[in-house]
Amino acid sequence: MAKPGRLGVGVIGAGKVGAVLGAALRAAEHAVVGVHAVSESSRERADALLPGVPVLDIPEIVRRSELVLLAVPDDALAPLVQGLADAGHWQPGQLVVHTAGRYGTGILAPAQAAGAIPLAIHPAMSFTGMSLDLDRLQECMFGVTAASMVLPIAQALVVEMGAESTVIEESDRGTYHAALAHASNHLVTIAGQAAELLRRVGVEYPERVLGPLMRGSLENALASGEGALTGPVARGDTGTIDVHRAALAGDGIPADIRAAYLAIGRATAQRALDRGLLSEAQAAAILDALA
């Protein structure tokens, strides 16, 4: 027997996020009634994660669905919502959910004007688009934005997918998304830059050097905050920073690596000073070395 409150779910966008969340909702016994998949890779992903679900055009998915999951690129979201509104496809009482971290529910206003109920649920997780993501959702936090009357619906959907949620105000979505991009995307850049430097000095497998170091640093930072800071900035060791700066000024070293090292070093020194980890004199010397 089906659980009460099960919904007919339509997935628009069978990318890495949409296909996985659709599969998670299906595992919670909601019925996925259709999926929109254009590229060959998205069709393969839909076939793997949502077997048996028909691939339909977008108006037909909206017509069939009690809950429409919009998992499309950020810049495509507004035109899609407005276009469906202009064509009269949104239905009163229909749940319209998007997964874009950058937006709250305001971007769904054209659907809301037609009587639909807007929800924003953004999973703070990097997706592979494979079934292993379903297990990883158990440790994922979603940033949820919705009107107070329907916020419990958004939170319940997240729980049904096996995750947890934190409420983000509409006006705070930009800051929320910037924080996630800074933590995730820039970490990849730093790892790539560090690996390049190691390869330049003959390290054949830089990931073996960086893996334990970066994993340990991340775990310590999450457990202890900036009290976990180590290295030349935390020690006030301007001599070591001078050596680093000279090395990064060498022939062939990409300018982006040097610029990132100096900028992040200055930010680290300022935060260490603000938190009492460095004295005024130590911080001044560090910032001068990194100028």
Side-chain angles (χ1 to χ4, degrees), residues 98-258:
H98 78 72
T99 63
R102 166 182 163 189
Y103 298 115
T105 57
I107 199 163
L108 300 176
Q112 186 176 17
I117 299 170
L119 309 172
I121 61 167
H122 173 256
M125 186 178 107
S126 293
F127 284 75
T128 66
M130 297 185 287
S131 58
L132 63 88
D133 288 341
L134 294 170
D135 291 330
R136 295 174 63 226
L137 281 175
Q138 310 300 313
E139 299 179 353
C140 178
M141 184 75 76
F142 281 66
V144 171
T145 303
S148 58
M149 290 291 290
V150 295
L151 182 61
I153 299 175
Q155 293 168 318
L157 289 170
V158 172
V159 169
E160 287 185 325
M161 288 187 282
E164 297 181 64
S165 65
T166 184
V167 177
I168 308 296
E169 295 297 326
E170 182 86 17
S171 59
D172 293 333
R173 292 293 291 208
T175 303
Y176 159 78
H177 197 232
L180 300 188
H182 193 37
S184 178
N185 306 151
H186 298 172
L187 180 66
V188 175
T189 300
I190 290 170
Q193 290 177 334
E196 181 172 350
L197 291 175
L198 289 176
R199 281 192 292 268
R200 284 177 175 272
V201 297
V203 177
E204 187 175 1
Y205 300 107
E207 66 277 7
R208 295 184 185 176
V209 177
L210 295 174
L213 175 68
M214 294 187 73
R215 281 190 289 269
S217 295
L218 178 58
E219 290 171 2
N220 290 342
L222 293 175
S224 304
E226 285 158 317
L229 183 64
T230 62
V233 169
R235 295 191 298 269
D237 186 351
T238 57
T240 298
I241 289 173
D242 287 339
V243 170
H244 292 178
R245 183 167 185 166
L248 295 177
D251 290 341
I253 301 296
D256 69 289
I257 297 180
R258 181 166 59 254

Side-chain angles (χ1 to χ4, degrees), residues 11 45 56 62-63 71 82 169 176 185 207 218 236 266:
V11 179
R45 194 176 296 113
L56 304 172
V62 176
R63 187 188 70 79
Q82 186 65 62
E169 295 297 326
Y176 159 78
N185 306 151
E207 66 277 7
L218 178 58
R266 289 192 294 269

